[in-house]
Amino acid sequence: MKVAKLAVIGLNFGKKHASYIAAGNIQGELAAVVDLDASYEALARKWNTKFYTDYKKMLNEMHPDGVIIAVPPKLHAPFAIECMKRGADVLVEKPISLTSQEADQMIVAAGEYGRQILVGQHHRFDPSVWMAKERLDSGTLGKAIGFHVYGTLPKPEWYYSQDYKKKRALGGGTVANNGIHDADRIRFIFGDIESVYAMKGNRCRGFEVEDTAAVAIRCKSGVVGTYYISDCSHPLSEYTDCYFAEKGTIRLKSSSFYAQEGAHTYQEGALGEGFDYWQRERRTVTRKIPLQDNHGKEVEHFCDMILNGVQPVTSAEEGKKSMEFMNAIIESMDTGKVINL
């Protein structure tokens, strides 16, 4: 059986991808890993793979079919372009880049070198998200009206050991670090964004960037919604997303998509007919969602792209639009203005 020869650059986060590949459950082999921190060599030995501190040397010697790039966002564009130039498809962690110009450079390079880019928006592999999208797109629930999205998960102090997570110019702040997933999910479900207005809070961590944000959003479809994200708020609410439509509401219950056993469900609810609301039967259907590794599904899809030429679930063009939505939220927080996209 043919397998994709894969490399991972950046092991602070990329070790999640590398360990999934090394487990041998997909059509891919872990040919090499790269990190500036030489202490990761011990982990590479455990995975029975080659270790490098210089990614260009790795490309010269290993010639991988695909490279997973899990370095800080400011490095995504130059690393991805170099890998594609050497003949590898790339899975670039979120966000695709920090600016539209960098994303465009990546898109142009992909065309020039005949390569594919998959952006690491792993919520697009979540079965509850697909269920919601299919139900809303089918028209069964009538027109989509609005949404409320929670993105609450308190991050431990070690998460901020890297400066880029604390500095705006380096891509820091919870909106860029984590909210890019919620931004992409909102776009995936409801389409492109027209305008945003956001307020930020940083009273908990005190960094120059936000630890909390509250956002009002208008989609080009006319759907409106609200979004709350915080990396210091506990997810005690039983749901993370509510999608409101004419004939019912969809609720995705989990902990900001860091699902735990027994806590991840898909729900639909509606009120029956009656003279007034207290006379109307409340109907709720709940489906439990089995735990799965969305990052792993993403890597499996990347192998399918390399081996079978399938199109990426999240293309560079889609990643760019979600990044621009993310940047609009950040600009609104920092300026106090409504930002139109």
Side-chain angles (χ1 to χ4, degrees):
M1 180 177 68
K2 187 177 180 181
V3 298
K5 190 176 180 182
L6 303 176
V8 178
I9 304 176
L11 294 178
N12 183 61
F13 183 77
K15 60 179 175 286
K16 180 184 292 287
H17 301 299
S19 62
Y20 193 86
I21 301 165
N25 297 321
I26 61 172
Q27 282 187 269
E29 64 175 3
L30 187 61
V33 293
V34 184
D35 200 280
L36 291 176
D37 185 348
S39 67
Y40 279 117
E41 186 170 5
L43 195 54
R45 286 197 296 270
K46 178 181 176 182
W47 289 326
N48 193 31
T49 193
K50 296 266 292 182
F51 177 80
Y52 293 85
T53 55
D54 183 336
Y55 84 99
K56 291 183 180 179
K57 182 179 180 182
M58 180 276 293
L59 293 171
N60 285 337
E61 294 183 0
M62 300 305 297
H63 307 290
D65 300 315
V67 179
I68 297 170
I69 299 172
V71 297
K74 67 174 182 176
L75 299 175
H76 285 182
F79 277 49
I81 291 169
E82 187 66 28
C83 290
M84 290 188 289
K85 182 180 179 180
R86 308 291 188 93
D89 292 323
V90 293
L91 192 174
V92 182
E93 260 307 322
K94 51 73 184 171
I96 183 173
S97 59
L98 293 181
T99 69
S100 300
Q101 292 78 12
E102 290 170 341
D104 286 338
Q105 291 169 7
M106 295 164 69
I107 292 167
V108 169
E112 181 179 351
Y113 301 121
R115 308 295 355 142
Q116 290 203 86
I117 299 173
L118 172 65
V119 184
Q121 305 286 174
H122 67 82
H123 291 189
R124 294 204 185 198
F125 294 89
D126 192 283
S128 58
V129 173
W130 275 99
M131 273 188 255
K133 181 172 177 58
E134 288 169 358
R135 288 288 283 168
L136 290 170
D137 287 353
S138 74
T140 304
L141 297 178
K143 292 179 182 177
I145 298 169
F147 58 86
H148 183 64
V149 171
Y150 284 107
T152 52
L153 191 75
K155 293 298 179 73
E157 292 306 312
W158 61 258
Y159 184 81
Y160 295 95
S161 61
Q162 296 168 297
D163 277 347
Y164 84 87
K165 293 179 179 177
K166 298 181 283 189
K167 302 290 186 181
R168 178 70 79 220
L170 300 179
T174 192
V175 171
N177 291 338
N178 306 295
I180 180 62
H181 284 306
D182 302 319
D184 185 72
R185 192 168 72 257
I186 291 167
R187 278 196 59 254
F188 183 58
I189 298 289
F190 297 106
D192 288 341
I193 308 304
E194 181 178 298
S195 61
V196 301
Y197 175 68
M199 294 180 288
K200 75 176 178 182
N202 58 1
R203 66 182 306 212
C204 184
R205 301 195 187 279
F207 300 149
E208 68 175 48
V209 296
E210 77 288 346
D211 53 44
T212 302
V215 190
I217 300 161
R218 177 181 292 278
C219 301
K220 291 182 179 179
S221 63
V223 171
V224 295
T226 53
Y227 170 45
Y228 174 84
I229 182 171
S230 176
D231 64 17
C232 50
S233 296
H234 287 256
L236 295 182
S237 172
E238 64 177 1
Y239 61 90
T240 183
D241 286 14
C242 269
Y243 306 147
F244 307 103
E246 290 178 292
K247 300 177 183 179
T249 292
I250 294 172
R251 179 165 66 177
L252 309 184
K253 294 172 63 177
S254 69
S255 173
S256 295
F257 292 86
Y258 295 86
Q260 295 173 308
E261 190 69 53
H264 193 187
T265 60
Y266 171 95
Q267 289 186 312
E268 284 187 24
L271 290 176
E273 298 299 322
F275 177 75
D276 217 332
Y277 70 88
W278 60 79
Q279 299 174 325
R280 300 166 70 178
E281 179 187 3
R282 184 179 298 277
R283 300 189 299 268
T284 304
V285 177
T286 300
R287 294 179 60 180
K288 292 184 179 180
I289 307 297
L291 281 178
Q292 70 168 27
D293 185 340
N294 291 337
H295 288 99
K297 295 295 183 184
E298 181 180 67
V299 174
E300 291 179 24
H301 176 64
F302 187 44
C303 290
D304 205 16
M305 287 170 51
I306 294 168
L307 296 173
N308 302 311
V310 302
Q311 294 299 302
V313 166
T314 311
S315 66
E317 289 81 4
E318 279 288 286
K320 176 187 173 184
K321 286 184 178 181
S322 293
M323 176 267 295
E324 289 172 337
F325 176 21
M326 174 197 84
N327 281 344
I329 294 173
I330 293 170
E331 184 180 353
S332 182
M333 283 192 300
D334 289 349
T335 65
K337 297 178 181 179
V338 174
I339 304 301
N340 296 307
L341 284 87

